[in-house]
Amino acid sequence: MRHARRGLQRVARLATVGALLCGGLMTASGAAGATTGGTSAPAEDGGGTTAPPPGLGERLLAQLGPSRTAGSWLGSDGRPVVAVTDEAAAAEAERAGARAQVVRHSMRRLRSATQDLGRAPRVPGTAWAVDYASNRVLVRADSTVSAADWSRLSGLAEETGSFVHMQRTRGALSTRLSGAAPLFARNGRCSAGFNVTDGRRDFVLTAGHCGPPGTAWFGDARGTRLVGTTTAGSFPGGDFSLVAYGSGDPSGARSVVGIGGGREVRIDAAADPAVGLQVVRSGSTTGTRTGRVTALNATVNYPEGTVTGLIETTVCAEPGDSGGPLFAQGLALGVTSGGNGDCTTGGTTYFQPVTSALSALGVRLTAPAASPEDARGEASPPAAAGAAAPGGPGLPTASGGVLGIRPLAPGLLVLAASLLVPVAAGVIRSARRRRAYRRRYSHSWT
């Protein structure tokens, strides 16, 4: 009997130690996952190679130069793809962790073609950008471009080279005047973009074509609730402006974006997107929409003038969405400039990059909100043309749960169970002692 009790004690002690070790490891792992939103990035991709560092594509473009490269974009697996013009550059890109695609035309040659297009007489209703994946310059002409202008542009494209491709688009390129919260003025309606500050005053960053300096903006169509007045901006050339808040601070200068249903997404910083990135746009007319970045540094010839350096996307937009925010993964990317099509048939929308607007205006994003409903604002997969993002805003909340408790729960449960093991063992030992005592002294009981 004594040996049996000692065996039970040893088993209980070993079980307790093992459970404590297991629970500790699980809790530590959960805590590490909680710091990254409840998920940990895999160290390797499906091919068994180490995940590339952020910004790898841009660094390779700078390292190899415009004569040996022709742009970079994100592949379907999230790994950067770098277009290169020779096998040696391809080998260098592969060694660095990117995927290489050997192409015929360098970025230097592609940029030369866009400069030729820019020097030609301006044709309203046209736009162009370098399409990295197809290694060509894509020129779009909307329905307002006449047959004569189309013929002239086509002749210029042929003279420049076979890599300049002409394409007709539906609808008309417009600045969408008519982001998330609506802004009303006498000459139309726009959307607020991002809250910014110069350290002394707070402003709304929106599109420049919405109104020149001095334009008064209201939060209602009747003009009874003043938001502020446009104090600076650029259009054409760029497409950005600042609306200084009026008396008081109605927004609290929070760095958030409204996505409908009273929900908000926190914006942590400003950044430039990569081609292929999934993005989200919010506007006062069509709400939250998703799509992908298809080109950078695009040129658009609006009827009002030419704007350069724009982000080209597959996100749809309609009149009144102008100035609304473009964002992804908690980063401010752009404000809505214009485009063609609509959210029923789809179309192309262009955005003024936030980084260049902030630099030109001498402002920065306001501090992030303390506790918005959605922590980061990561883009969901692109919705079908004309469809709102799934489930309303289509933006997942942080997967770590409240204060990161969900990732820690399994480890905490194991730790709790490990503490119960010695208690249970003590109860069993006490019960066995009582039974032994009864058997030994049962002859004296009455």
Side-chain angles (χ1 to χ4, degrees):
M1 181 64 68
R2 187 177 295 113
H3 292 302
R5 285 198 300 269
R6 290 176 179 171
L8 177 62
Q9 292 171 2
R10 284 195 295 269
V11 170
R13 284 196 294 268
L14 290 173
T16 302
V17 173
L20 285 170
L21 288 173
C22 181
L25 290 173
M26 292 176 68
T27 303
S29 177
T35 62
T36 59
T39 57
S40 57
E44 297 183 349
D45 66 4
T49 57
T50 303
L56 175 60
E58 290 74 13
R59 286 198 294 274
L60 284 170
L61 294 181
Q63 178 180 333
L64 296 172
S67 295
R68 303 180 66 198
T69 62
S72 173
W73 64 95
L74 296 177
S76 58
D77 59 354
R79 182 175 292 276
V81 181
V82 179
V84 296
T85 58
D86 59 74
E87 294 295 341
E92 192 168 343
E94 294 282 354
R95 282 195 300 270
R99 302 192 193 284
Q101 178 173 308
V102 179
V103 297
R104 181 178 178 183
H105 308 293
S106 69
M107 180 57 71
R108 190 181 300 278
R109 190 174 184 188
L110 296 173
R111 286 176 180 168
S112 176
T114 63
Q115 291 168 0
D116 290 343
L117 291 167
R119 285 191 289 265
R122 193 177 77 89
V123 178
T126 59
W128 55 78
V130 176
D131 185 346
Y132 298 155
S134 65
N135 192 226
R136 62 185 182 181
V137 176
L138 182 60
V139 181
R140 292 185 170 93
D142 68 17
S143 58
T144 67
V145 176
S146 66
D149 284 336
W150 172 265
S151 177
R152 180 167 59 82
L153 283 173
S154 298
L156 177 60
E158 291 178 2
E159 292 175 7
T160 304
S162 60
F163 54 89
V164 179
H165 179 72
M166 297 288 295
Q167 182 184 83
R168 278 282 194 180
T169 61
R170 294 176 295 181
L173 285 169
S174 71
T175 50
R176 304 301 191 191
L177 183 60
S178 134
L183 294 174
F184 297 91
R186 290 183 178 180
N187 63 334
R189 166 184 167 181
C190 276
S191 298
F194 300 96
N195 278 319
V196 298
T197 182
D198 63 1
R200 300 181 303 275
R201 302 181 64 187
D202 296 324
F203 306 85
V204 176
L205 177 66
T206 188
H209 71 263
C210 289
T215 302
W217 293 97
F218 300 87
D220 63 319
R222 293 181 297 173
T224 61
R225 183 161 54 88
L226 178 67
V227 174
T229 304
T230 301
T231 59
S234 173
F235 181 80
D239 196 357
F240 51 85
S241 65
L242 287 179
V243 176
Y245 279 114
S247 59
D249 188 4
S251 73
R254 300 182 304 152
S255 188
V256 297
V257 169
I259 55 174
R263 301 176 67 201
E264 295 175 332
V265 168
R266 188 180 74 190
I267 300 299
D268 296 316
D272 292 317
V275 172
L277 180 69
Q278 293 187 58
V279 291
V280 182
R281 176 198 59 75
S282 188
S284 62
T285 301
T286 57
T288 304
R289 304 286 169 156
T290 61
R292 287 185 179 273
V293 174
T294 52
L296 304 174
N297 198 32
T299 296
V300 181
N301 293 299
Y302 295 121
E304 302 89 341
T306 299
V307 181
T308 60
L310 299 178
I311 303 167
E312 180 188 281
T313 74
T314 62
V315 189
C316 70
E318 295 183 7
D321 288 327
S322 279
L326 179 75
F327 56 100
Q329 301 172 357
L331 298 174
L333 303 176
V335 292
T336 307
S337 175
N340 68 286
D342 53 39
C343 288
T344 300
T345 61
T348 300
T349 303
Y350 298 90
F351 297 83
Q352 165 69 49
V354 165
T355 53
S356 57
L358 296 179
S359 177
L361 294 167
V363 294
R364 64 181 185 276
L365 292 174
T366 57
S371 57
E373 180 176 340
D374 281 326
R376 291 195 55 77
E378 295 184 356
S380 59
L395 301 175
T397 57
S399 57
V402 179
L403 297 179
I405 293 300
R406 263 181 280 178
L408 303 180
L412 293 174
L413 288 174
V414 173
L415 286 173
S418 68
L419 296 176
L420 292 176
V421 170
V423 176
V427 172
I428 294 172
R429 288 197 300 271
S430 297
R432 287 186 174 180
R433 290 193 188 104
R434 285 196 297 271
R435 287 198 297 270
Y437 181 86
R438 292 190 187 106
R439 286 194 298 269
R440 183 173 182 179
Y441 298 100
S442 60
H443 62 277
S444 63
W445 294 359
T446 58

